[in-house]
Amino acid sequence: MTTPRPLCFIRRGRTVQLHGIAPDRTLLEILREDLGATGTKEGCGEGDCGACTVVLGEARQGRMHYQAVNSCIRLAHSIDGMALWTVEDLAHDPLIRPASGPKGSALHPVQEALVQCHGSQCGFCTPGFAMSLFGLYQNEVCQNRGITRTQAAEALSGNLCRCTGYRPILDAAQQMQQLPRVQVDETALLQQLELLALTPQALEADFSYISPATLPDLLAARAAHPDAQLVAGATDLGLWITKQHRRFPRLLDVTRAAELTGVAEHDGQLTLGAAVSLTDAFSALQARWPQLHRFAARFAGLPVRNSGTLGGNVANGSPIGDSMPLLIALGAQVELASTRGSRRMPLEDFYTGYRQNQLAADELLTFIHLPLPTPDQGLADQRLAAYKVSKRFDDDISAVCLAIQLRIEGQTITQARIGAGGVAATPARARQTEAALTGQPWTAATAERAAAVLQAEFNPISDMRASGAYRREVLGALVRRFWRETRGGAETPALERLQPLTLEATP
């Protein structure tokens, strides 16, 4: 019997090395069963409730980057070479030190603020809240930035328990920045992570968790192991393990290939590596299209966006995946590669059926390419909005997702692209509605005709999220809404426009 390679990470300023960790064991399992870190709780087991939240730290361009993730669906081997904090570590990590002066409270400011603001009741979910707040604290307070109420709500979007109500926990998120500051000694931690990366690991008989560091090596591994299950952030595959009890003797992790983790702009295109996290991908999109902020913040919860990847969401092909309608509206192309070469195609042509796509057995989705507006087009001529309709505002699956982009010259629509989710077996492009819009003046009458065409273009099913009739009604309503928000040639500020987009109830 062969043995998986050892798992190494930094915790409390020391290297933790675990041998014999099966490739499909979750981070939560090794925390509770192998390390006795039972402060991290198991609630839903599907990345929804946030009770299992921990924080990971990794070196990026010489600085530490922190992210809260769901340990229940994060694979243990995926944190190899990183730093890890659980709720037990906040007050006991020797690398967390006062910014100045002697250490005050025995508690971390995150914990102290929760105590002062009465943000905990039964306590089961409090560790998850504390860790989401710790990630926020490191990324904002320790960078000398203040925390707004909106930021606090977004940081806690993946923590659903509200025993004490929303206000005390949000109060704690703002209170923690008023307490004496403590921070991670990043200089010491970076040195430890560098040593960990340089330390050769013992060769073992079978690398059942394969994580190549370069794209050529990744493609070679895919060709050599076509039977290996691909994994990126495991936000979907983790559920196959925890809910379907499926086992995976060999996994191929795409997230370590450096070429797939970058964002680049060249030749009038924005190129996103398939292994870029959803958080970083949406950040890149918002930098070019600021009106997308509210839509991006409603994609699952923050811990899921921190783990999940854009390429994983696209390759998954779920008809209710939220990124694909937006990418279709933006004119995205996907790049597929193997040791034989690479090829590109429009995203809408990538899907061949329900959760089926054009990937060959030895191919990987490697990049997503987006055309950027050229100077002669002018951003003022572009109208873009993305809508998500769901039963609750945060951390929910879409009943309908619709993204619309128009190019208007004078008063005439010269180009239309519309992506829709939740209305067909695959993420879809609304070509008939695009044709009905192109060449027409952007008026209320045109929007009304387009709404009727869009309602007739798809035949959505009825399920637990909404009826088919409701979905068709919503499609028309969103086109009318888009007209109201973009008439007169100027877009309403994005945050105000997108804030109330949820339709809370379905018939």
Side-chain angles (χ1 to χ4, degrees):
M1 180 175 179
T2 57
T3 304
R5 62 178 293 165
L7 165 62
C8 300
F9 56 91
I10 303 296
R11 185 179 181 222
R12 297 193 189 181
R14 292 185 292 185
T15 298
V16 177
Q17 187 174 90
L18 300 175
H19 290 266
I21 303 300
D24 52 5
R25 286 192 71 194
T26 67
L27 177 55
L28 180 64
E29 286 177 325
I30 69 160
L31 285 175
R32 295 184 61 86
E33 298 170 8
D34 297 40
L35 300 179
T38 54
T40 305
K41 305 302 182 185
E42 180 176 10
C44 65
E46 57 189 43
D48 195 32
C49 74
C52 67
T53 306
V54 298
V55 169
L56 299 177
E58 60 179 327
R60 292 189 183 179
Q61 299 177 334
R63 300 198 61 177
M64 287 300 302
H65 177 79
Y66 305 87
Q67 53 185 3
V69 302
N70 298 116
S71 63
C72 70
I73 54 173
R74 181 87 179 209
L75 296 184
H77 279 283
S78 72
I79 75 162
D80 188 75
M82 298 184 185
L84 168 71
W85 290 271
T86 70
V87 70
E88 294 97 337
D89 304 327
L90 298 188
H92 301 290
D93 186 344
L95 295 183
I96 299 179
R97 300 164 182 167
S100 61
K103 189 172 182 179
S105 170
L107 298 178
H108 189 280
V110 165
Q111 299 165 309
E112 185 64 39
L114 283 168
V115 171
Q116 292 182 7
C117 296
H118 307 288
S120 174
Q121 190 169 332
C122 77
F124 184 87
C125 293
T126 305
F129 281 111
M131 297 314 296
S132 289
L133 291 179
F134 176 64
L136 181 65
Y137 188 90
Q138 287 298 129
N139 288 324
E140 299 299 330
V141 177
C142 290
Q143 300 302 318
N144 298 312
R145 293 189 289 261
I147 297 172
T148 66
R149 205 75 163 178
T150 299
Q151 285 177 302
E154 289 182 1
L156 293 166
S157 61
N159 300 90
L160 295 188
C161 178
R162 293 294 190 271
C163 288
T164 56
Y166 289 77
R167 184 188 56 78
I169 301 165
L170 293 173
D171 287 346
Q174 293 190 280
Q175 173 70 9
M176 66 185 186
Q177 62 190 327
Q178 308 300 326
L179 299 173
R181 184 181 304 179
V182 301
Q183 57 194 38
V184 173
D185 184 342
E186 294 191 351
T187 300
L189 182 55
L190 286 167
Q191 290 174 346
Q192 290 180 323
L193 290 175
E194 183 177 0
L195 288 173
L196 187 60
L198 294 174
T199 302
Q201 297 193 10
L203 293 178
E204 299 189 7
D206 174 34
F207 287 171
S208 52
Y209 192 93
I210 310 167
S211 53
T214 68
L215 180 55
D217 288 345
L218 177 62
L219 296 177
R222 181 57 169 162
H225 303 286
D227 61 327
Q229 172 63 48
L230 296 177
V231 61
T235 53
D236 196 33
L237 183 138
L239 273 70
W240 302 351
I241 294 172
T242 62
K243 297 300 180 183
Q244 299 178 11
H245 306 293
R246 294 169 62 180
R247 310 315 307 174
F248 299 98
R250 178 176 282 120
L251 290 163
L252 178 58
D253 188 336
V254 305
T255 62
R256 299 298 175 118
E259 298 92 331
L260 302 190
T261 60
V263 177
E265 193 174 314
H266 54 83
D267 297 331
Q269 287 192 331
L270 177 66
T271 297
L272 301 163
V276 171
S277 72
L278 287 161
T279 297
D280 292 341
F282 280 126
S283 178
L285 294 176
Q286 290 171 59
R288 281 83 177 173
W289 295 279
Q291 63 266 48
L292 297 177
H293 172 79
R294 201 58 177 171
F295 176 79
R298 295 193 56 221
F299 189 111
L302 181 60
V304 169
R305 295 197 301 274
N306 284 341
S307 277
T309 64
L310 184 64
N313 194 239
V314 169
N316 177 283
S318 170
I320 50 176
D322 287 339
S323 71
M324 291 85 90
L326 173 60
L327 295 174
I328 289 171
L330 290 174
Q333 289 194 330
V334 293
E335 183 171 339
L336 315 181
S338 70
T339 54
R340 296 177 286 108
S342 64
R343 56 188 176 127
R344 287 170 61 158
M345 67 185 66
L347 174 56
E348 58 269 23
D349 296 340
F350 176 59
Y351 303 108
T352 59
Y354 177 72
R355 291 183 182 266
Q356 296 178 334
N357 57 52
Q358 301 221 35
L359 277 171
D362 64 340
E363 280 186 315
L364 295 173
L365 171 62
T366 51
F367 299 100
I368 296 101
H369 303 281
L370 294 166
L372 292 170
T374 58
D376 64 301
Q377 288 177 322
L379 288 176
D381 294 331
Q382 304 297 315
R383 306 286 179 266
L384 172 67
Y387 304 101
K388 173 173 179 169
V389 178
S390 57
K391 290 187 175 182
R392 69 183 182 217
F393 191 85
D394 283 322
D395 207 5
D396 201 6
I397 294 172
S398 294
V400 173
C401 180
L402 188 70
I404 307 173
Q405 180 174 219
L406 301 182
R407 182 184 177 187
I408 303 173
E409 296 182 9
Q411 295 298 317
T412 303
I413 301 168
T414 59
Q415 186 180 62
R417 290 191 66 94
I418 302 174
V423 296
T426 67
R429 183 176 175 187
R431 296 180 185 273
Q432 295 175 29
T433 309
E434 292 173 3
L437 286 166
T438 304
Q440 301 299 311
W442 186 223
T443 64
T446 298
E448 194 62 40
R449 287 193 296 271
V453 174
L454 184 61
Q455 287 176 309
E457 188 165 354
F458 298 106
N459 185 29
I461 65 171
S462 298
D463 59 20
M464 67 182 71
R465 295 183 185 91
S467 67
Y470 174 78
R471 287 184 162 109
R472 280 191 295 271
E473 189 68 26
V474 167
L475 286 172
L478 291 177
V479 174
R480 299 181 189 101
R481 177 175 178 166
F482 181 68
W483 150 250
R484 290 195 302 271
E485 293 174 349
T486 62
R487 61 185 175 181
E491 290 184 302
T492 306
L495 194 59
E496 288 75 16
R497 275 198 300 110
L498 298 184
Q499 175 80 25
L501 62 82
T502 304
L503 305 184
E504 295 292 347
T506 56

